[in-house]
Amino acid sequence: MGLTFILLLLLSSCDDSASKRQTEKPPWHYAKPIGVDLNLDEGYSIDVLTGDSIFPIINGLGDTIITGKQVPFNPTNVVPLDIEKATRRKLKPPTVFPSNSNVHKVAAPLNSVRIDLEKLLKVPLGLDTSSFELTNSKGEIIKTGVALPVQGEVLEVSKPKSTKAFSMGVKDNCIGNIQYLDFDQGMKSSYVYSLMEDSRNNLWIGTNAGGVALYDGQTFFHYTEKEGFASSVKCIYEDSKANIWFGTYGDGVIKYDGETFVRYNEKEGMPYNTAYSIFEDREGNMWFGWKVGGASKFDGEFVTHYGEKEGLSNNSVTKILQDGSGDMWFATYGGGVVNFDGQTFTHYTTNDGLCHNNIL
């Protein structure tokens, strides 16, 4: 009897709690929405929701807009202009202001310096002007001034897969039609050392750490270390036989005849492995300018090295050209410009009126 009474008491207590929870509103329960009757006769002057006064709608002309009622719409008729009676005036020519095109006239007269040819330093070929000996990166002495036999190393370079080039990018805020090639267009590197268009209208792009890219306007062919080529290409040159020469950073010079790559570096007898410049003279000799190895003349079988000992002003040769008289010209980094007529080296430096001895 006692146990039955306790169970009934507990059940009664649970029913009371459930009933209480059903009648109580949860804290997140929304209030019942307030309804407002439409009043088109007198309208409302007080906002029933906020208690604020209701003001009429005023347009930009200061007129009160009637709301809640139909009002007639009276459009304004615009009378066409009588062209025959209109006053005609002749416009003055507009004032034209030139745009900033970054074109600037060179102030005249130019500052010119007359070179005293009699005072130029001239060194006959064969005259030992210094005890300087040309050495390669291994410390080996390189013979200069004499023809040495050279045989290049044939490289096993695999043909790279073609890469579809995306449309060229356009520079923002440029004043001309300037477009560019970069990673987004299919390049391997954004750092470009050299450019050359060959006789087949292909563009060769030498890069830093991305090898060289052949670009035909639609497709890239990348020759990198992965294919057996070089990593960085400082200069590119096409000779009279359509061979493409590459001056590399750390791998000597490489000749490509369209099928085979042949490398010439310190191992084959070159004075250094980094080439700054390449040039072919009228006789078909190839000239190489080295970072610290002077200049070399290569006839395809024999190479002759020219350094400070033979009369060069500096062993860092950055550019090589041949003038109309057949003389060779060498731009150096540290020794100005040197003329070589085949027998004598003539130096042009800051002492002779040159603006700088470091020519890049």
Side-chain angles (χ1 to χ4, degrees), residues 148-183:
L148 304 171
V150 170
Q151 185 175 0
E153 177 188 3
V154 177
L155 300 178
E156 295 182 2
V157 178
S158 60
K159 187 174 181 179
K161 295 181 180 179
S162 62
T163 303
K164 179 67 176 178
F166 291 95
S167 300
M168 287 191 176
V170 180
K171 277 295 183 184
D172 298 331
N173 302 322
C174 60
I175 61 175
N177 184 20
I178 301 175
Q179 302 181 36
Y180 64 92
L181 295 171
D182 207 332
F183 274 116

Side-chain angles (χ1 to χ4, degrees), residues 74-87:
N74 298 318
T76 302
N77 294 324
V78 179
V79 180
L81 179 66
D82 191 343
I83 298 177
E84 296 298 328
K85 296 181 180 180
T87 302

Side-chain angles (χ1 to χ4, degrees), residues 196-204 214-217 237-246 256-259:
M196 190 209 67
E197 183 182 13
D198 65 18
S199 56
R200 304 173 185 85
N201 298 322
N202 295 315
L203 185 64
W204 292 89
L214 172 62
Y215 176 61
D216 61 6
Y237 189 89
E238 184 178 18
D239 65 19
S240 57
K241 298 178 182 178
N243 297 313
I244 309 296
W245 292 82
F246 306 97
Y256 176 54
D257 62 6
E259 295 183 0

Side-chain angles (χ1 to χ4, degrees), residues 109-254:
L110 294 176
N111 183 24
S112 59
V113 178
R114 183 177 296 275
I115 297 176
D116 189 346
L117 299 179
E118 298 298 325
K119 293 183 179 180
L120 291 176
L121 177 60
K122 298 182 180 181
V123 182
L125 181 63
L127 178 64
D128 191 346
T129 58
S130 71
S131 59
F132 181 87
E133 291 183 334
L134 197 62
T135 58
N136 62 18
S137 61
K138 300 177 182 179
E140 300 170 342
I141 298 176
I142 303 298
K143 292 182 180 180
T144 58
V146 294
L148 304 171
V150 170
Q151 185 175 0
E153 177 188 3
V154 177
L155 300 178
E156 295 182 2
V157 178
S158 60
K159 187 174 181 179
K161 295 181 180 179
S162 62
T163 303
K164 179 67 176 178
F166 291 95
S167 300
M168 287 191 176
V170 180
K171 277 295 183 184
D172 298 331
N173 302 322
C174 60
I175 61 175
N177 184 20
I178 301 175
Q179 302 181 36
Y180 64 92
L181 295 171
D182 207 332
F183 274 116
D184 294 337
Q185 287 71 44
M187 291 282 292
K188 290 286 187 182
S189 174
S190 296
Y191 298 93
V192 176
Y193 278 151
S194 52
L195 287 171
M196 190 209 67
E197 183 182 13
D198 65 18
S199 56
R200 304 173 185 85
N201 298 322
N202 295 315
L203 185 64
W204 292 89
I205 307 172
T207 71
N208 176 30
V212 67
L214 172 62
Y215 176 61
D216 61 6
Q218 301 292 329
T219 308
F220 285 108
F221 294 89
H222 297 287
Y223 295 89
T224 67
E225 287 183 309
K226 180 181 178 181
E227 286 72 33
F229 190 68
S231 175
S232 300
V233 177
K234 296 288 290 184
C235 56
I236 309 173
Y237 189 89
E238 184 178 18
D239 65 19
S240 57
K241 298 178 182 178
N243 297 313
I244 309 296
W245 292 82
F246 306 97
T248 72
Y249 193 95
D251 285 291
V253 292
I254 299 175

